[in-house]
Amino acid sequence: MDFGTVQRNLERSDYTPDKFRDDVFLTFNNAMRYNPSGHDLFLIARRLKTFFASKWNLQKKAIRGAYDSYLEGLMLAHPRLVKLAGGGAKAGRGEASSSDASRAGGDAVRVGDASASKENMAANPPSEPGGKAKARKSKSRGSGSSEDGSDGGGSALPKRRRVGEGSGSVAPEGEEHAPSDEEMGSDEDAPEEDTEGPGVPRVLRDSVDDGGEVPVTEDAYVDAAVKVLRHIPEFKQPEWKECIHKYLRDVVQKVTAGGQEPSENRQSRDMFAGGSTQSGKTQWKVAAAVAAHIMGVPCIVCTTKVDGMQSLAVKVLEMLAHIPEESRPPLLDIRGKLNCFREDRKESKDDRLAKCFKMNGILMVNDTASAVEQAYKLVCECKGSPYRTSTQGNFVLIMDEADAFQRTNHYLHESPESPIKLEAALAHLNAHKPLLNLYVSATLVPVFLKTIQTTDISTPPAIYFTQTNPDDYIGATDLKPWEDEEGRQQFLVPSEISKDGSYLCDKTDRMCEQVFGLKRSLLLLITSPRVNAPGGLKDQVQRMQTLKGGKKAVFLQVDGTGITEYPPGAQEGHEFKHPKFADKAKVTISKVLEIVDKRYGMEIPVVIAGYNMMQRGDSFRSNGRVPTHIACALGQGMSVEKMVQALGRATFKGKQTLIDNGFDSVRVLTLANDYDTLNAYQCFVKAIKKETDQNRSLSDVLKSMFKNDSNISKLQNKSVGNKKEHHNLDDHGVSFEEGEPGIGGKYLLSGLNDVCKELLVIGDISDFGESADIHHDTGYHDDKPGVPAKDFADELRGRNVNASLSEVGKALTELCKSGAFKKRKAEEDESYAQGWTKGVMLYYKCKYAPRSNAADAPGEL
C-alpha cells in the first residue's frame, strides 16, 4: 500500500471512511516494518502516523457524518441504491421513531443531523480492519436534532421515508443490533426497477407505488433549499432574506405541479425574474437550480454568446463553491470546458454531459442552434436519466437574457417571418414541456409582449425583481449627463457620430481628456460596431492616445476574439495574458481589471472600448475600480433593450468604492433620446410589476394607462425588441399619459433648426393634407400614416416658410433620427391611388412626439 494508491481510490470514490483510515495506517506500518528503527523513513513514518491518528480522532465524527449524508443523498436520488447499500433507509438506521411514522402523511424527515452521524451507520457500517463488518449501537434520531432539524454544514436534502418505518429498526439502548436479512433487503423483496430512471423524486411522479413511499412536502423542499443557499454570502443580505422563501415556494410549486401532469397535457408554467442591470440577477438562477437539484431535476441554462456563458458559469461556480459538496449541484457547459468534474481522458464530453444530467446538475448552453440542439439530443438520448422517451420532459429551463433569444415573431400564425435556426432549436427543446420556464433579464418588456401573444393565462404572473440597496447600488437613475468644462450638460446627436471619425467626435474627445486627468477613473466606450476595419476599435484607441494625457492611460479592447491590452503609450496592442489565466474559459473582464490594477497601479486611468461584447452579461469593475464615465451610441438598428443593457454596464454594486475613488456619480455621454428612454424603461417595468402584484393578469396590466415618466416610446426611433418581432406598443394596447420630454428630449429639441420646428407644428395640425385620416398618425386607425417630403414642402410654402425640398428632406431625416417622426415606404396600391412615385418615402409624426411648442422650450444646458 502507498499514498499513490490511496489518492487514486479517493478520486474514484472507492473508500468508506474507515477503509481510508486503514490504508493510511497500513502505509505508515509498512514503512516502519521494512526499515530499521533508527532509519529516517522509520522515524518520519512514526511521527506522521501519530500526527494522522491525532487528527483522525478529532475529525472522525464529522467525516463519518459527512459520509452518512453523502449516502443518504445518493439514496434519495437513486432509490435502487437502498437495496445495494443494505437496506439503508428501509430499516436499521435509527432515523425515525414510531411517532415519526404516525406523521408520515406529509412531514419531511431532514438529514444531516450531526448528533446522529455515528448512529446513521448502525445497520450498514463500513468495513473494519480485517474486512469484517461489525454492528454498531443504534439510537433513536430525534434527541440531538437542532431546532430546525438541520445542522450547519451537512446535506440539506430532505429524506423520504416509508410508512411504518422506525419502531422495528431501533435496538434497545446498550445492546448490539445485527441487521437481519429482512432489514437488509433480499432479492425476493427487492423493489421493482424504476422505469423512469434515478433522479426523479416521488413527489414528481403520478402515484405512490406499492412500497408505500410518502412524498416529500413542498415545505420540506423549500426549507432544504433555503438551508443550502444560506451558505452563499449573497443570500445572507437583508434584501434576499425577505423574498427568497416566496420565490423558492413558487419554484417548488410549479415544478411539483408540472411533474404531476402527463407531459402531453402539461401547461406552460412561467416565472420572470429581473431588476436593474448589474443588480445580482445571478442569484435567481442559482436559487432555482439548487431547488431543482434538491427535487431531483436537472437544469438547462441558456445564455448569450460563448463569452457570456463562460462568465455566467464562473459566477455560478463561485457561488456554488460555498455550498457543502454533498448538496452542491454539478455544473457543465455544453462544450465541456467549464465543469465540476475532474478531467478524465477516458471520459468523453458526451459522457460528462450525461453524468451531469444523471446527477441533476446544471447544463450551460450558449445562443447557437447547434448548442441548443445538442442539449435537445441529450434530453432525448440520455439513458438512466428521467429522459427515457422523447415525450418525457422533466427538466427546468432557465432563459438568461431571455429577450435576446427572441429574434422574430414567427410564433404568430399570421407572421410573414420564418424562425431562424436558433428559434427552431429552442422550439424543439420546449416541445419536451419543461416543468418550469424561468425568464431572467433586466429588459423583460419583449418577453412580456410575447407571453400575452402566445399564452392564454388570466392568472397574475410570478414576477420577481432584485431589491437593491440605494446606499450601495449605482443604478440607471444615478447616471448623470456628462458636463463640459463650463458645467453644461451635453448629449450626443446622431449626425455627430460616423465611421469617418472612428465613431468619435469633439464631445467624446473632450470627455476622454477629462478622464485622462482623473486618478482611478474608468471609461467605458461603446460607439463603434467595427473592430479592425477603418473607424473600428483599434482606430479609436489610436485616436484617443493622441489626446492630451492619452499616452498615460491603459486601453483594453474587448471583441469576439478576446481582450487586447494596450499598455501606456503603446501603439499596438497584444492579447491579454497572465499565468493566472492559463484556462481562457475562466477569463472575465473583472478579473482582467484586477490584474491591470496590480500591474499599473490604481492611479492610472483605464479605458475599455468595445461594442457587441459590452451590451450584456459582464460586470466591468474590479474590487478597487468601478466605472466613472461611459460614452455610448448604438445605431438605429439596435433595439431599446440592447441600448439599456449597454448603458447598464456602468451600473454596479459598490457606491462607496466610487466615493472612495473621488467621484460622486457616474457621468454618461449618450444620445439624448436614449438617456430619457434608459430612465423610462426602469419606471415602466417596475410599474408592470407593481400592477401584477395587485393580482392583475399581464394582459390586463399592459392595457393600462402608464405615467409619462414610463414612456419608452417618446422621441425614440429604436424598436422595442428585435425589429423582426414587430412589437408595437400601440398594437398591444399600451398607452402613456401626455407630458413634457425629459432632459435629453429638451436638449434634442432645442438644437433643431427652424424648418424642423415648423414641421413639428405641421405634425400637430389634424387637417393637414387632403385626407387627414391617412396622412396623420393617430395611433389606432387602420389606415397607414405618412405623406412624402414634397407635401410637407408645399405646406410650408403655404405658411410663408421658405425652405427648399432638399432642406425639408434633411429636416425630416433629422426628426426621424431624433424619434419625433417616423418613415416608411409607400406600398404599390397606395402610390397608385395617391399619384405618388412608386416606393416613395412617407413621413409622419410619432404619437408621443412633443407638442409643437416644446421645441421652443430651453434645454438644460
Side-chain angles (χ1 to χ4, degrees):
M1 181 58 61
D2 58 85
F3 284 127
T5 302
V6 172
Q7 182 177 356
R8 286 192 294 273
N9 289 341
L10 280 173
E11 292 174 347
R12 293 197 299 262
S13 300
D14 286 346
Y15 272 137
T16 63
D18 290 344
K19 179 61 176 170
F20 164 72
R21 176 201 62 191
D22 295 341
D23 281 355
V24 173
F25 278 135
L26 180 59
T27 302
F28 292 136
N29 289 338
N30 287 343
M32 295 168 63
R33 178 179 298 176
Y34 297 108
N35 288 285
S37 58
H39 195 277
D40 287 345
L41 290 177
F42 178 96
L43 298 175
I44 292 172
R46 184 173 64 182
R47 182 179 299 176
L48 289 176
K49 179 181 178 181
T50 303
F51 177 80
F52 176 82
S54 64
K55 292 294 184 181
W56 177 264
N57 290 333
L58 290 173
Q59 299 292 332
K60 60 183 178 181
K61 284 190 177 182
I63 294 172
R64 287 170 177 159
Y67 185 69
D68 288 352
S69 299
Y70 167 73
L71 288 180
E72 291 165 343
L74 285 179
M75 292 174 190
L76 176 63
H78 306 277
R80 281 186 54 77
L81 290 181
V82 174
K83 176 199 169 197
L84 299 177
K90 186 176 180 181
R93 294 180 65 85
E95 291 175 349
S97 63
S98 56
S99 61
D100 288 331
S102 67
R103 296 195 306 269
D107 292 340
V109 179
R110 300 192 184 107
V111 301
D113 187 353
S115 65
S117 298
K118 184 175 180 179
E119 290 78 8
N120 283 348
M121 299 295 291
N124 190 30
S127 299
E128 299 288 352
K132 295 182 180 180
K134 294 183 180 181
R136 298 180 183 274
K137 296 180 181 180
S138 179
K139 298 180 181 180
S140 177
R141 175 166 207 142
S143 59
S145 300
S146 61
E147 189 173 277
D148 64 352
S150 62
D151 67 1
S155 171
L157 298 174
K159 183 73 173 67
R160 290 170 295 154
R161 62 185 178 206
R162 293 182 177 274
V163 176
E165 175 188 315
S167 58
S169 64
V170 181
E173 188 169 356
E175 295 185 15
E176 299 288 337
H177 186 119
S180 64
D181 290 340
E182 179 182 359
E183 293 168 330
M184 295 294 290
S186 60
D187 291 340
E188 289 76 16
D189 59 16
E192 295 182 2
E193 183 175 355
D194 188 352
T195 58
E196 291 189 68
V200 185
R202 175 60 55 190
V203 74
L204 299 183
R205 300 182 191 167
D206 296 331
S207 61
V208 176
D209 65 5
D210 295 336
E213 193 169 301
V214 177
V216 181
T217 63
E218 293 176 356
D219 286 345
Y221 281 129
V222 173
D223 291 344
V226 169
K227 177 188 173 185
V228 170
L229 294 173
R230 281 176 182 165
H231 291 90
I232 302 175
E234 287 82 355
F235 286 97
K236 296 178 182 179
Q237 298 171 0
E239 56 266 27
W240 282 98
K241 289 182 179 180
E242 298 175 2
C243 65
I244 194 62
H245 277 85
K246 186 176 184 300
Y247 173 73
L248 288 172
R249 193 170 304 281
D250 266 345
V251 170
V252 169
Q253 286 176 350
K254 292 181 185 298
V255 170
T256 302
Q260 293 172 344
E261 292 178 353
S263 59
E264 60 272 13
N265 298 328
R266 187 175 294 159
Q267 298 296 317
S268 174
R269 287 177 170 81
D270 299 337
M271 289 180 63
F272 307 91
S276 304
T277 51
Q278 303 297 312
S279 60
K281 293 182 294 300
T282 303
Q283 283 93 299
W284 297 120
K285 291 160 260 184
V286 170
V290 167
H293 176 69
I294 290 173
M295 299 183 76
V297 180
C299 219
I300 297 176
V301 181
C302 296
T303 190
T304 56
K305 299 185 178 66
V306 172
D307 286 351
M309 177 179 68
Q310 292 174 179
S311 177
L312 178 60
V314 169
K315 290 179 185 177
V316 174
L317 284 172
E318 288 174 350
M319 288 189 184
L320 295 180
H322 296 281
I323 298 176
E325 189 172 356
E326 63 272 9
S327 303
R328 186 187 308 159
L331 181 145
L332 185 66
D333 74 45
I334 197 68
R335 304 177 307 153
K337 298 287 185 181
L338 274 171
N339 62 81
C340 61
F341 305 115
R342 288 181 178 270
E343 291 296 334
D344 186 348
R345 294 182 179 179
K346 296 181 180 179
E347 190 175 51
S348 68
K349 181 187 76 171
D350 291 341
D351 290 338
R352 289 198 296 272
L353 291 172
K355 181 193 294 186
C356 187
F357 263 85
K358 290 176 184 179
M359 297 174 67
N360 306 313
I362 305 170
L363 177 64
M364 294 282 183
V365 180
N366 60 296
D367 58 344
T368 62
S370 60
V372 177
E373 284 289 355
Q374 194 172 354
Y376 165 76
K377 291 177 182 178
L378 181 67
V379 170
C380 295
E381 299 171 3
C382 188
K383 296 181 179 180
S385 76
Y387 318 106
R388 299 188 67 90
T389 68
S390 60
T391 59
Q392 187 71 26
N394 288 335
F395 68 100
V396 169
L397 180 60
I398 300 178
M399 301 299 295
D400 182 39
E401 307 292 358
D403 57 292
F405 286 85
Q406 298 177 193
R407 309 292 174 85
T408 69
N409 64 347
H410 69 279
Y411 45 82
L412 300 179
H413 294 298
E414 67 277 10
S415 172
E417 304 289 351
S418 299
I420 63 173
K421 290 182 179 179
L422 172 62
E423 291 174 318
L426 285 171
H428 291 161
L429 188 59
N430 275 288
H432 281 285
K433 304 289 184 68
L435 299 176
L436 168 66
N437 287 291
L438 174 61
Y439 300 99
V440 184
S441 179
T443 47
L444 282 169
V445 173
V447 182
F448 291 154
L449 296 178
K450 179 183 176 181
T451 299
I452 64 174
Q453 288 179 301
T454 57
T455 59
D456 184 20
I457 300 177
S458 58
T459 56
I463 303 176
Y464 290 87
F465 279 3
T466 304
Q467 300 298 317
T468 55
N469 181 359
D471 295 331
D472 181 57
Y473 178 70
I474 294 291
T477 56
D478 298 306
L479 303 183
K480 304 302 181 184
W482 174 69
E483 296 178 351
D484 62 13
E485 299 81 356
E486 299 177 4
R488 297 178 301 181
Q489 294 179 344
Q490 296 289 344
F491 296 92
L492 296 173
V493 294
S495 59
E496 295 175 329
I497 302 294
S498 69
K499 66 180 179 181
D500 295 334
S502 301
Y503 295 93
L504 297 174
C505 62
D506 177 65
K507 292 176 184 176
T508 56
D509 289 348
R510 285 187 287 154
M511 182 184 196
C512 288
E513 290 179 344
Q514 192 179 96
V515 169
F516 297 152
L518 298 171
K519 297 179 180 180
R520 298 174 173 261
S521 58
L522 173 59
L523 167 63
L524 307 182
L525 184 64
I526 314 172
T527 61
S528 175
R530 301 182 172 198
V531 180
N532 294 318
L537 299 178
K538 185 176 180 180
D539 286 352
Q540 283 191 331
V541 172
Q542 292 177 349
R543 172 169 170 165
M544 286 185 287
Q545 287 179 329
T546 64
L547 301 176
K548 182 180 178 181
K551 292 186 177 180
K552 297 180 180 179
V554 174
F555 294 89
L556 297 175
Q557 175 183 315
V558 182
D559 54 59
T561 63
I563 300 174
T564 303
E565 177 188 8
Y566 292 81
Q571 290 292 316
E572 296 294 329
H574 57 80
E575 181 183 358
F576 186 89
K577 291 183 179 180
H578 190 273
K580 184 178 180 181
F581 299 139
D583 184 0
K584 286 185 65 176
K586 296 183 179 180
V587 177
T588 64
I589 189 64
S590 294
K591 292 182 177 180
V592 169
L593 277 174
E594 292 284 351
I595 302 301
V596 168
D597 289 345
K598 292 178 181 178
R599 184 179 291 173
Y600 300 104
M602 285 294 301
E603 305 301 313
I604 197 167
V606 177
V607 178
I608 303 177
Y611 198 77
N612 288 326
M613 305 306 295
M614 294 181 68
Q615 291 176 15
R616 291 181 185 269
D618 274 337
S619 300
F620 290 79
R621 58 159 299 170
S622 64
N623 288 332
R625 192 190 298 266
V626 294
T628 59
H629 297 76
I630 180 171
C632 178
L634 300 191
Q636 186 177 341
M638 294 293 184
S639 66
V640 166
E641 284 68 31
K642 286 186 177 181
M643 176 272 296
V644 171
Q645 292 278 2
L647 285 170
R649 297 314 94 193
T651 61
F652 52 87
K653 288 184 177 180
K655 192 172 186 177
Q656 190 58 47
T657 303
L658 182 72
I659 296 172
D660 292 344
N661 288 347
F663 301 90
D664 58 357
S665 62
V666 178
R667 294 294 173 171
V668 56
L669 179 60
T670 187
L671 298 172
N673 49 0
D674 286 352
Y675 181 81
D676 288 347
T677 304
L678 171 68
N679 289 281
Y681 204 100
Q682 304 302 317
C683 296
F684 187 40
V685 292
K686 288 179 180 178
I688 293 174
K689 183 184 186 310
K690 181 179 179 180
E691 292 300 318
T692 55
D693 287 346
Q694 302 301 317
N695 211 30
R696 297 179 62 189
S697 69
L698 193 56
S699 59
D700 183 33
V701 168
L702 287 174
K703 293 177 183 178
S704 305
M705 175 74 74
F706 292 89
K707 293 182 178 180
N708 176 55
D709 62 1
S710 300
N711 193 341
I712 61 176
S713 298
K714 181 180 292 185
L715 287 178
Q716 184 53 258
N717 54 9
K718 294 181 175 66
S719 63
V720 174
N722 194 287
K723 277 193 171 183
K724 289 190 176 181
E725 287 188 88
H726 304 290
H727 283 312
N728 187 328
L729 295 182
D730 291 342
D731 294 341
H732 294 285
V734 180
S735 58
F736 301 93
E737 296 175 353
E738 293 290 340
E740 294 297 315
I743 297 175
K746 291 179 180 178
Y747 176 93
L748 185 67
L749 295 173
S750 66
L752 296 177
N753 58 34
D754 292 339
V755 177
C756 290
K757 293 178 181 179
E758 290 294 337
L759 289 172
L760 282 174
V761 173
I762 292 176
D764 279 337
I765 298 174
S766 60
D767 60 353
F768 168 59
E770 296 180 354
S771 52
D773 58 335
I774 294 178
H775 297 160
H776 187 258
D777 176 26
T778 62
Y780 290 101
H781 52 69
D782 296 331
D783 296 317
K784 296 181 179 180
V787 295
K790 182 179 181 299
D791 288 19
F792 280 101
D794 292 342
E795 186 73 17
L796 287 175
R797 279 195 294 271
R799 295 174 176 274
N800 297 320
V801 177
N802 294 321
S804 66
L805 180 59
S806 175
E807 291 174 328
V808 171
K810 290 180 180 179
L812 287 170
T813 300
E814 190 68 22
L815 287 170
C816 287
K817 289 181 178 180
S818 71
F821 272 58
K822 290 186 179 180
K823 61 182 179 180
R824 67 179 181 86
K825 280 187 178 180
E827 298 178 2
E828 187 173 351
D829 57 342
E830 233 181 338
S831 299
Y832 178 79
Q834 299 293 334
W836 296 329
T837 304
K838 183 179 178 180
V840 68
M841 195 64 68
L842 307 179
Y843 300 88
Y844 58 96
K845 186 178 178 181
C846 296
K847 180 180 178 183
Y848 292 106
R851 299 177 184 275
S852 56
N853 60 355
D856 297 323
E860 296 189 16
L861 304 178

